[in-house]
Amino acid sequence: MASFQLGDVPHGFAYNEDGNIIHYKHVILLATPTANESGTWGGEWLSFGSDWADARLRVAAHDGTSWVWVKHIDVVAANSRAVVQLPPGTQKVSIGREKKTAGDFVDNSPVGWLLEIK
């Protein structure tokens, strides 16, 4: 049976254009439900959508021991959802807005996330 969680990416830049942290108060951390369901789920997908303006996100996955990957995802308002499959064993996900350039100032456009577990 599929399971869903959804919410909004916080306003404010968490990372500069080089991927370095500006402030962690603009990061959201999701605990993923499959961590305790070994072998019974078919995968986890994280989707993002935006409106009014494009946004770049820095998304990182943690497997319980270390951060196993970091993606820089461009969420384009005119396109469909941006979708990534999380690595097996993901226990938590960190999501924050990242500046596209030093002059990027659009840090408050609506961006939503959807975590889908099958």
Side-chain angles (χ1 to χ4, degrees), residues 6 8 15 28 38 42 45 52 59 64 77 83-84 86 88 92 96 98-99 101-104 108 118:
L6 54 94
D8 298 316
Y15 303 95
I28 186 171
S38 176
W45 286 265
W52 300 103
V59 181
V83 181
V84 293
L86 297 175
K92 59 185 179 180
E98 182 176 45
K99 287 186 164 212
T101 65
D104 190 356
N108 63 353
K118 292 187 175 185

Side-chain angles (χ1 to χ4, degrees), residues 41-42 83 114:
W41 295 86
V83 181
L114 170 68

Side-chain angles (χ1 to χ4, degrees), residues 22-76:
I22 294 172
H23 202 291
Y24 59 83
K25 71 180 178 182
H26 302 295
V27 176
I28 186 171
L29 186 69
L30 309 177
T32 61
T34 62
N36 300 320
E37 300 293 333
S38 176
T40 61
W41 295 86
E44 299 174 293
W45 286 265
L46 194 54
S47 300
F48 300 97
S50 67
D51 195 7
W52 300 103
D54 301 344
R56 176 167 292 156
L57 303 177
R58 179 191 178 275
V59 181
H62 195 281
D63 68 0
T65 303
S66 62
W67 294 101
V68 293
W69 64 248
V70 174
K71 301 263 185 201
H72 303 271
I73 299 170
D74 288 317
V75 185
V76 180

